Amino acid sequence: MSTPTQVYDSLLALLTPTASWGRHRSHSEVSDGLKRIRRIVLTEGIPEPGRPPLRPRIWKLMLKIDSLNADEYLRWVTMGPSAVSTKIKNDTFRTLATDTQFKGKVKEDMLIRLLEAFVWKNHVGSERDGLPFTYVQGMNVLSAPFLFTLPSQLEAFACFSTFIEQSCPLYVQPTLVGVHKGLKLLDQCLKIVDPELFDHLRSKNLSAELYAFPSVLTLCACTPPLEEVLQLWDFLLAFGVHLNILCVIAQLLLLRQDIMDSPSPMKLLRTFPPLNARPIIGVTVALVKDIPEDLYRELVAHPFSS
């Protein structure tokens, strides 16, 4: 096992200089570098805090953010309140409300500014092809890790916009079609990997729609602590948002005996235990091999393809 310093130095070497990614390196070098970074994220995790911090650079790399447009962002910001401004403000003050570390760094006006800018960006660009976007439930929580992690609001906006529009667009449609599909897939996967646990939950009339909706909607960002959420998101950004469904199942399996022993499992599942990213990632990776190929294809596609 490498020390955190060794892991940090390995990642820093792969990321330096960031500007050379895709510009001065061959395709095979870029591909090999990304594979090595993903392997480290999977096996060791990103050592934080570090100087300079590596998570912002790795997140931008995974999202393929290699340029920023400050003028465009300022344009959206200066457009002021949007038609869904009241809806945004009804949610932003509740965002990670019990996390003092988050509240100390990310003020409510930063959340509002980013979300309003996102709405304006997609309203003005609504004539283009593709899915429409506006503000929907859960976007406030999905934006929170980006505002906390990235060093500037401009970078947070670029990462959040790209993430929503490319990684999980069906999760933020007005009907939350991707979320509901994900919940159905969660039931299907759980039935395969642990039929006894699935049957026990069903005997209590519990489907994923009832106990896993917040965790699927927010990619587990609703479950503290934030530092563990960020580690889980390192994994999801590196390997795919679809794996969050298996991450939720992993949490169930880590809680399995308590669930099986409980006459009222919903009391346990109403609030999931504090997130512990490394065991969850370990169980998730082990679960992948148990999912049939056709079901796994559905899992991979569900955040962005209907």
Side-chain angles (χ1 to χ4, degrees), residues 33 60 162 244 253 265 270 301:
K60 285 189 288 185
T162 299
N244 182 59
L253 295 180
R270 190 169 287 114

Side-chain angles (χ1 to χ4, degrees), residues 21 63 68 78 80 82 97 106 116 118 122 156 159 215 223 282 286 288 299 302:
W21 280 89
L63 290 166
L68 299 167
T78 55
S82 67
V106 179
E116 294 277 23
F118 179 78
N122 285 282
C159 288
S215 296
T223 305
V288 169
L299 196 63
H302 87 273

Side-chain angles (χ1 to χ4, degrees), residues 21-264:
W21 280 89
R23 293 177 184 168
H24 305 300
R25 296 184 185 183
S26 69
H27 177 77
S28 62
E29 286 177 317
V30 170
S31 179
D32 181 61
L34 284 169
K35 284 178 184 175
R36 291 167 67 189
I37 290 170
R38 288 190 175 101
R39 192 179 305 120
I40 292 171
V41 167
L42 177 62
T43 59
E44 307 284 352
I46 301 173
E48 293 287 348
R51 292 292 178 268
L54 301 181
R55 179 169 284 127
R57 296 166 72 177
I58 290 173
W59 283 21
K60 285 189 288 185
L61 184 62
M62 294 304 167
L63 290 166
K64 300 178 182 177
I65 305 291
D66 58 5
S67 63
L68 299 167
N69 191 328
D71 290 340
E72 194 172 75
Y73 178 57
L74 287 172
R75 178 189 173 199
W76 311 136
V77 168
T78 55
M79 292 179 79
S82 67
V84 290
S85 183
T86 300
K87 192 174 179 182
I88 289 172
K89 290 178 181 177
N90 283 342
D91 288 344
T92 50
F93 78 94
R94 293 193 293 255
T95 306
L96 307 188
T98 61
D99 192 303
T100 54
Q101 187 182 18
F102 175 77
K103 287 295 186 183
K105 183 174 181 181
V106 179
K107 305 305 179 186
E108 186 184 1
D109 64 342
M110 294 164 64
L111 284 160
I112 293 170
R113 190 179 302 118
L114 181 146
L115 294 167
E116 294 277 23
F118 179 78
V119 171
W120 280 121
K121 172 180 183 275
N122 285 282
H123 175 75
V124 173
S126 60
E127 69 280 356
R128 64 190 175 183
D129 293 334
L131 290 166
F133 294 98
T134 185
Y135 178 79
V136 299
Q137 177 187 8
M139 269 191 182
N140 58 311
V141 181
L142 291 174
S143 70
F146 293 110
L147 281 167
F148 184 84
T149 297
L150 277 299
S152 71
Q153 291 180 49
L154 173 60
E155 289 165 282
F157 177 77
C159 288
F160 171 76
S161 297
T162 299
F163 177 72
I164 292 295
E165 293 165 9
Q166 297 182 16
S167 299
C168 57
L170 294 185
Y171 271 48
V172 295
Q173 294 305 299
T175 60
L176 304 179
V177 59
V179 175
H180 293 297
K181 176 66 172 175
L183 290 162
K184 289 186 176 122
L185 288 167
L186 196 158
D187 277 329
Q188 290 175 253
C189 292
L190 181 60
K191 187 174 183 178
I192 289 167
V193 302
D194 195 331
E196 185 182 9
L197 179 57
F198 174 83
D199 288 342
H200 178 67
L201 289 169
R202 276 304 171 98
S203 74
K204 307 297 182 182
N205 297 314
L206 290 178
S207 66
E209 283 273 358
L210 294 175
Y211 64 80
F213 180 82
S215 296
V216 174
L217 175 71
T218 67
L219 306 178
C220 291
C222 63
T223 305
L226 180 57
E227 61 192 37
E228 297 292 328
V229 171
L230 299 181
Q231 290 183 51
L232 193 65
W233 275 40
D234 295 338
F235 170 67
L236 295 177
L237 288 172
F239 294 97
V241 166
H242 64 283
L243 288 170
N244 182 59
I245 301 301
L246 299 184
C247 288
V248 179
I249 292 177
Q251 290 171 78
L252 296 177
L253 295 180
L254 292 167
L255 195 61
R256 186 184 194 280
Q257 196 57 56
D258 290 338
I259 295 172
M260 294 298 293
D261 292 342
S262 175
S264 303

